[in-house]
Amino acid sequence: HFKCDCFIFSSTLFLHTGWGLCFNLNASLTIISKYFLAKRPLANGLAMAGSPVFLCVLAPVNQYLLGHFGWRGSLLILGGMMLNCCVAGALMRPVAQLCNPRSCTPPKKVEQTNNTKTRGSCMKNAKTFMDLSFFKDQGFIIYLIGNVMFIFGAYAPIVFLSAYAISQGVAEYSAAYLLSIMGFVDMFVRPGTGLVANSKWFRPRIQYLFSFAMVFNGTFHLLCPLMRTYPLLVAYAVFFGVGFGMVFALIFECLMDLMGSQRFPSAVGLVTIIECFPMLLGPPAAGNVP
Protein backbone atom coordinates (compact mmCIF):
# COMPACT_ATOMS: atom_id res chain seq x y z
CA HIS A 1 0.00 0.00 0.00
CA PHE A 2 2.85 2.38 0.81
CA LYS A 3 4.53 1.80 -2.58
CA CYS A 4 1.22 2.27 -4.36
CA ASP A 5 0.53 5.55 -2.52
CA CYS A 6 4.03 6.79 -3.32
CA PHE A 7 3.58 5.94 -7.00
CA ILE A 8 0.22 7.73 -7.17
CA PHE A 9 1.64 10.76 -5.37
CA SER A 10 4.69 10.92 -7.63
CA SER A 11 2.59 10.51 -10.78
CA THR A 12 0.19 13.26 -9.71
CA LEU A 13 3.08 15.56 -8.76
CA PHE A 14 4.92 15.12 -12.05
CA LEU A 15 1.67 15.40 -14.05
CA HIS A 16 0.83 18.77 -12.51
CA THR A 17 4.45 19.93 -12.77
CA GLY A 18 4.54 18.96 -16.45
CA TRP A 19 1.34 20.86 -17.18
CA GLY A 20 2.65 23.96 -15.44
CA LEU A 21 6.03 23.91 -17.18
CA CYS A 22 4.34 23.29 -20.54
CA PHE A 23 2.10 26.35 -20.26
CA ASN A 24 4.95 28.40 -18.84
CA LEU A 25 7.52 27.59 -21.55
CA ASN A 26 5.27 27.94 -24.58
CA ALA A 27 3.71 31.18 -23.35
CA SER A 28 7.07 32.77 -22.53
CA LEU A 29 8.54 31.83 -25.92
CA THR A 30 5.50 33.26 -27.70
CA ILE A 31 5.78 36.48 -25.68
CA ILE A 32 9.43 36.85 -26.74
CA SER A 33 8.51 36.39 -30.41
CA LYS A 34 5.85 39.12 -30.08
CA TYR A 35 7.80 41.62 -27.97
CA PHE A 36 11.16 41.51 -29.76
CA LEU A 37 12.36 41.54 -33.35
CA ALA A 38 15.65 43.42 -33.81
CA LYS A 39 17.24 42.05 -30.60
CA ARG A 40 15.32 38.79 -30.39
CA PRO A 41 18.40 36.46 -30.24
CA LEU A 42 19.71 38.39 -27.23
CA ALA A 43 16.26 38.31 -25.61
CA ASN A 44 16.09 34.54 -26.11
CA GLY A 45 19.55 34.07 -24.63
CA LEU A 46 18.70 36.14 -21.55
CA ALA A 47 15.35 34.40 -21.08
CA MET A 48 16.95 30.97 -21.33
CA ALA A 49 19.66 31.88 -18.80
CA GLY A 50 17.27 31.25 -15.90
CA SER A 51 17.42 27.45 -16.24
CA PRO A 52 21.18 27.06 -15.59
CA VAL A 53 20.92 29.46 -12.65
CA PHE A 54 18.54 27.06 -10.94
CA LEU A 55 20.59 24.05 -12.07
CA CYS A 56 23.65 25.59 -10.42
CA VAL A 57 21.94 26.77 -7.23
CA LEU A 58 19.05 24.37 -6.66
CA ALA A 59 21.07 21.22 -5.91
CA PRO A 60 22.79 22.57 -2.73
CA VAL A 61 19.64 24.53 -1.77
CA ASN A 62 17.52 21.40 -2.07
CA GLN A 63 19.89 19.47 0.19
CA TYR A 64 19.67 22.26 2.77
CA LEU A 65 15.86 22.32 2.60
CA LEU A 66 15.61 18.55 2.96
CA GLY A 67 17.86 18.62 6.00
CA HIS A 68 15.96 21.42 7.79
CA PHE A 69 12.34 21.15 6.63
CA GLY A 70 11.89 17.58 5.37
CA TRP A 71 10.46 16.59 2.02
CA ARG A 72 7.03 18.12 2.69
CA GLY A 73 8.45 21.48 3.69
CA SER A 74 10.90 21.39 0.77
CA LEU A 75 8.12 20.78 -1.75
CA LEU A 76 6.07 23.58 -0.20
CA ILE A 77 8.96 26.06 -0.46
CA LEU A 78 9.81 24.99 -4.02
CA GLY A 79 6.14 25.33 -4.99
CA GLY A 80 6.14 28.86 -3.60
CA MET A 81 9.20 29.65 -5.71
CA MET A 82 7.44 28.31 -8.81
CA LEU A 83 4.43 30.53 -8.10
CA ASN A 84 6.62 33.51 -9.03
CA CYS A 85 5.91 32.48 -12.63
CA CYS A 86 2.37 33.78 -12.04
CA VAL A 87 3.80 37.14 -10.96
CA ALA A 88 5.99 37.27 -14.08
CA GLY A 89 3.03 36.40 -16.29
CA ALA A 90 0.86 39.07 -14.67
CA LEU A 91 3.41 41.72 -15.65
CA MET A 92 3.12 40.88 -19.36
CA ARG A 93 0.72 42.84 -21.53
CA PRO A 94 -0.39 42.25 -25.13
CA VAL A 95 1.57 44.19 -27.70
CA ALA A 96 -0.55 47.18 -28.76
CA GLN A 97 -1.28 47.53 -32.45
CA LEU A 98 -0.14 50.98 -33.57
CA CYS A 99 -2.49 52.76 -35.95
CA ASN A 100 -3.57 56.19 -37.09
CA PRO A 101 -6.54 57.38 -35.03
CA ARG A 102 -8.19 58.74 -38.17
CA SER A 103 -7.87 55.46 -40.04
CA CYS A 104 -8.83 53.23 -37.11
CA THR A 105 -12.48 52.31 -37.15
CA PRO A 106 -14.36 51.52 -33.95
CA PRO A 107 -14.99 47.83 -33.33
CA LYS A 108 -18.19 46.49 -34.72
CA LYS A 109 -20.72 44.87 -32.47
CA VAL A 110 -20.58 41.11 -32.58
CA GLU A 111 -23.89 39.58 -33.42
CA GLN A 112 -25.06 36.39 -31.80
CA THR A 113 -24.34 33.32 -33.89
CA ASN A 114 -25.94 29.94 -33.90
CA ASN A 115 -24.36 26.74 -32.63
CA THR A 116 -23.22 25.67 -36.09
CA LYS A 117 -21.12 28.80 -36.65
CA THR A 118 -19.71 28.55 -33.10
CA ARG A 119 -18.60 24.97 -33.69
CA GLY A 120 -17.05 25.98 -37.00
CA SER A 121 -15.14 28.75 -35.28
CA CYS A 122 -13.92 26.33 -32.59
CA MET A 123 -12.69 23.89 -35.24
CA LYS A 124 -10.91 26.71 -37.06
CA ASN A 125 -9.19 27.78 -33.83
CA ALA A 126 -8.19 24.17 -33.12
CA LYS A 127 -6.60 23.91 -36.58
CA THR A 128 -4.77 27.16 -35.93
CA PHE A 129 -3.23 25.88 -32.67
CA MET A 130 -2.44 22.41 -34.10
CA ASP A 131 -1.40 23.19 -37.67
CA LEU A 132 -0.24 19.94 -39.30
CA SER A 133 0.67 21.74 -42.50
CA PHE A 134 4.13 22.28 -40.96
CA PHE A 135 4.99 18.73 -42.02
CA LYS A 136 4.84 19.91 -45.64
CA ASP A 137 7.67 22.35 -44.95
CA GLN A 138 11.07 20.79 -45.72
CA GLY A 139 12.94 23.18 -43.44
CA PHE A 140 10.64 22.37 -40.52
CA ILE A 141 11.11 18.62 -41.07
CA ILE A 142 14.91 18.95 -41.05
CA TYR A 143 14.76 21.13 -37.94
CA LEU A 144 12.45 18.67 -36.17
CA ILE A 145 14.57 15.59 -36.99
CA GLY A 146 17.73 17.29 -35.73
CA ASN A 147 15.95 18.46 -32.61
CA VAL A 148 14.59 15.01 -31.78
CA MET A 149 18.02 13.44 -32.18
CA PHE A 150 19.60 16.11 -30.00
CA ILE A 151 16.97 15.95 -27.24
CA PHE A 152 17.22 12.15 -27.13
CA GLY A 153 20.81 12.42 -25.92
CA ALA A 154 20.89 15.89 -24.36
CA TYR A 155 19.66 15.09 -20.86
CA ALA A 156 21.36 11.73 -20.32
CA PRO A 157 24.73 13.33 -19.41
CA ILE A 158 22.99 15.56 -16.87
CA VAL A 159 21.34 12.54 -15.25
CA PHE A 160 24.39 10.25 -15.24
CA LEU A 161 27.37 12.60 -14.95
CA SER A 162 27.60 12.44 -11.15
CA ALA A 163 27.15 8.66 -11.11
CA TYR A 164 29.81 8.25 -13.80
CA ALA A 165 32.25 10.40 -11.83
CA ILE A 166 31.64 8.33 -8.68
CA SER A 167 32.26 5.14 -10.67
CA GLN A 168 35.66 6.59 -11.65
CA GLY A 169 36.62 7.01 -7.99
CA VAL A 170 35.61 10.66 -7.50
CA ALA A 171 34.20 11.59 -4.08
CA GLU A 172 30.44 12.00 -3.88
CA TYR A 173 30.47 15.71 -3.03
CA SER A 174 33.04 16.47 -5.72
CA ALA A 175 30.93 14.59 -8.26
CA ALA A 176 27.88 16.64 -7.32
CA TYR A 177 29.80 19.85 -8.03
CA LEU A 178 30.24 18.86 -11.69
CA LEU A 179 26.64 19.77 -12.45
CA SER A 180 27.06 23.05 -10.60
CA ILE A 181 30.12 23.83 -12.75
CA MET A 182 28.18 22.95 -15.87
CA GLY A 183 25.24 25.15 -14.81
CA PHE A 184 27.52 28.05 -13.87
CA VAL A 185 29.19 28.04 -17.30
CA ASP A 186 25.84 27.59 -19.05
CA MET A 187 24.45 30.59 -17.18
CA PHE A 188 26.90 32.96 -18.91
CA VAL A 189 27.09 31.18 -22.27
CA ARG A 190 23.38 31.57 -23.10
CA PRO A 191 23.21 35.38 -23.00
CA GLY A 192 26.69 35.53 -24.57
CA THR A 193 25.52 33.36 -27.45
CA GLY A 194 22.44 35.55 -27.84
CA LEU A 195 24.67 38.61 -28.02
CA VAL A 196 26.88 37.00 -30.68
CA ALA A 197 23.86 35.76 -32.66
CA ASN A 198 22.40 39.27 -32.61
CA SER A 199 25.43 40.71 -34.43
CA LYS A 200 25.14 41.74 -38.08
CA TRP A 201 27.45 38.97 -39.30
CA PHE A 202 25.84 36.05 -37.44
CA ARG A 203 22.16 37.07 -37.56
CA PRO A 204 21.65 36.08 -41.25
CA ARG A 205 23.68 32.89 -40.62
CA ILE A 206 22.08 31.85 -37.36
CA GLN A 207 21.16 28.40 -38.70
CA TYR A 208 24.85 27.65 -39.27
CA LEU A 209 25.72 28.83 -35.77
CA PHE A 210 23.03 26.51 -34.40
CA SER A 211 24.45 23.58 -36.40
CA PHE A 212 27.94 24.32 -35.09
CA ALA A 213 26.60 24.35 -31.52
CA MET A 214 25.03 20.91 -31.99
CA VAL A 215 28.22 19.45 -33.50
CA PHE A 216 30.30 21.01 -30.70
CA ASN A 217 27.99 19.52 -28.08
CA GLY A 218 27.97 16.04 -29.61
CA THR A 219 31.76 15.96 -30.06
CA PHE A 220 32.47 16.51 -26.36
CA HIS A 221 29.84 13.94 -25.38
CA LEU A 222 31.72 11.41 -27.50
CA LEU A 223 34.92 12.29 -25.64
CA CYS A 224 33.29 11.82 -22.22
CA PRO A 225 34.35 8.13 -21.77
CA LEU A 226 37.99 9.24 -22.05
CA MET A 227 37.62 11.55 -19.04
CA ARG A 228 38.64 9.32 -16.13
CA THR A 229 40.17 11.79 -13.67
CA TYR A 230 38.49 14.62 -11.80
CA PRO A 231 40.35 17.47 -13.60
CA LEU A 232 39.35 15.99 -16.96
CA LEU A 233 35.74 15.63 -15.80
CA VAL A 234 35.78 19.29 -14.71
CA ALA A 235 37.01 20.24 -18.19
CA TYR A 236 34.25 18.11 -19.71
CA ALA A 237 31.65 19.84 -17.50
CA VAL A 238 32.94 23.24 -18.66
CA PHE A 239 32.72 22.34 -22.36
CA PHE A 240 29.40 20.60 -21.75
CA GLY A 241 28.06 23.85 -20.30
CA VAL A 242 29.38 25.79 -23.30
CA GLY A 243 27.78 23.46 -25.86
CA PHE A 244 24.52 23.06 -23.95
CA GLY A 245 24.20 26.81 -23.48
CA MET A 246 24.85 27.57 -27.15
CA VAL A 247 22.24 25.08 -28.33
CA PHE A 248 19.47 26.18 -25.98
CA ALA A 249 20.13 29.87 -26.63
CA LEU A 250 19.51 29.26 -30.36
CA ILE A 251 17.09 26.33 -30.50
CA PHE A 252 13.89 28.38 -30.47
CA GLU A 253 15.39 31.43 -32.17
CA CYS A 254 16.06 29.26 -35.24
CA LEU A 255 12.44 28.10 -35.18
CA MET A 256 11.27 31.73 -35.03
CA ASP A 257 13.42 32.59 -38.03
CA LEU A 258 12.23 29.52 -39.89
CA MET A 259 8.48 29.84 -39.29
CA GLY A 260 8.00 33.56 -38.69
CA SER A 261 6.33 35.25 -35.74
CA GLN A 262 2.78 34.54 -36.96
CA ARG A 263 3.20 30.76 -37.24
CA PHE A 264 5.67 30.40 -34.37
CA PRO A 265 3.13 29.74 -31.54
CA SER A 266 1.66 26.76 -33.40
CA ALA A 267 5.11 25.54 -34.46
CA VAL A 268 6.62 25.66 -30.96
CA GLY A 269 3.61 23.84 -29.53
CA LEU A 270 3.99 21.04 -32.08
CA VAL A 271 7.76 20.84 -31.57
CA THR A 272 7.56 20.68 -27.77
CA ILE A 273 4.90 17.94 -27.94
CA ILE A 274 7.13 15.80 -30.16
CA GLU A 275 10.23 16.59 -28.08
CA CYS A 276 8.59 15.16 -24.97
CA PHE A 277 9.01 11.59 -26.24
CA PRO A 278 12.82 11.62 -26.78
CA MET A 279 13.20 13.64 -23.56
CA LEU A 280 11.29 10.91 -21.70
CA LEU A 281 12.99 7.93 -23.37
CA GLY A 282 16.55 9.26 -23.65
CA PRO A 283 17.86 8.85 -20.07
CA PRO A 284 16.33 5.37 -19.52
CA ALA A 285 17.69 4.20 -22.86
CA ALA A 286 21.16 5.53 -22.00
CA GLY A 287 20.96 3.91 -18.55
CA ASN A 288 20.39 0.48 -20.09
CA VAL A 289 23.52 0.70 -22.26
CA PRO A 290 26.30 -1.40 -20.67
Side-chain angles (χ1 to χ4, degrees):
H1 292 292
F2 176 73
K3 291 182 179 180
C4 182
D5 291 341
C6 287
F7 176 76
I8 294 173
F9 172 75
S10 300
S11 302
T12 306
L13 176 64
F14 286 116
L15 180 64
H16 285 82
T17 304
W19 273 101
L21 292 177
C22 170
F23 290 129
N24 185 14
L25 176 64
N26 287 10
S28 60
L29 291 172
T30 304
I31 287 171
I32 292 173
S33 69
K34 299 293 184 183
Y35 268 64
F36 298 94
L37 181 61
K39 296 184 178 181
R40 195 176 60 199
L42 179 59
N44 269 308
L46 289 172
M48 290 292 179
S51 298
V53 171
F54 267 83
L55 180 63
C56 182
V57 175
L58 197 59
V61 169
N62 199 26
Q63 292 293 329
Y64 174 82
L65 293 177
L66 283 172
H68 287 77
F69 301 101
W71 66 270
R72 284 190 175 88
S74 299
L75 287 177
L76 188 62
I77 294 172
L78 293 175
M81 294 170 65
M82 291 295 294
L83 281 175
N84 285 295
C85 296
C86 300
V87 179
L91 296 175
M92 300 298 174
R93 293 293 182 269
V95 179
Q97 298 292 333
L98 299 177
C99 63
N100 190 348
R102 295 180 180 178
S103 62
C104 289
T105 57
K108 298 180 180 180
K109 294 183 179 180
V110 180
E111 298 180 356
Q112 293 182 352
T113 57
N114 54 25
N115 292 334
T116 305
K117 292 183 179 180
T118 303
R119 291 174 184 173
S121 178
C122 291
M123 291 298 296
K124 185 178 180 179
N125 290 334
K127 290 180 180 179
T128 301
F129 288 114
M130 187 59 68
D131 189 359
L132 298 181
S133 64
F134 290 117
F135 291 104
K136 298 179 182 178
D137 192 317
Q138 184 179 3
F140 179 80
I141 294 296
I142 295 173
Y143 172 88
L144 185 62
I145 292 173
N147 243 21
V148 168
M149 295 176 66
F150 170 76
I151 293 296
F152 189 80
Y155 291 94
I158 297 177
V159 175
F160 297 112
L161 180 59
S162 296
Y164 173 72
I166 293 172
S167 69
Q168 299 301 317
V170 178
E172 185 176 351
Y173 285 101
S174 298
Y177 278 118
L178 291 174
L179 285 180
S180 297
I181 294 171
M182 176 260 175
F184 182 79
V185 174
D186 190 1
M187 176 173 53
F188 294 98
V189 169
R190 294 195 189 195
T193 303
L195 187 62
V196 171
N198 200 62
S199 63
K200 294 181 180 180
W201 198 87
F202 281 103
R203 183 69 184 270
R205 303 170 180 85
I206 197 168
Q207 307 290 344
Y208 299 103
L209 183 61
F210 179 56
S211 301
F212 168 77
M214 278 197 168
V215 173
F216 181 90
N217 204 355
T219 300
F220 278 95
H221 287 334
L222 290 175
L223 295 177
C224 180
L226 303 177
M227 311 298 179
R228 299 184 180 276
T229 62
Y230 188 68
L232 289 177
L233 287 171
V234 169
Y236 166 74
V238 170
F239 285 108
F240 179 24
V242 172
F244 201 75
M246 286 194 299
V247 170
F248 274 91
L250 300 171
I251 191 169
F252 293 112
E253 173 60 29
C254 289
L255 185 61
M256 291 179 189
D257 270 1
L258 196 63
M259 295 289 104
S261 59
Q262 296 298 325
R263 303 182 71 193
F264 175 74
S266 298
V268 73
L270 189 61
V271 168
T272 49
I273 288 173
I274 297 174
E275 281 180 352
C276 288
F277 297 100
M279 189 182 300
L280 179 67
L281 299 175
N288 290 327
V289 176

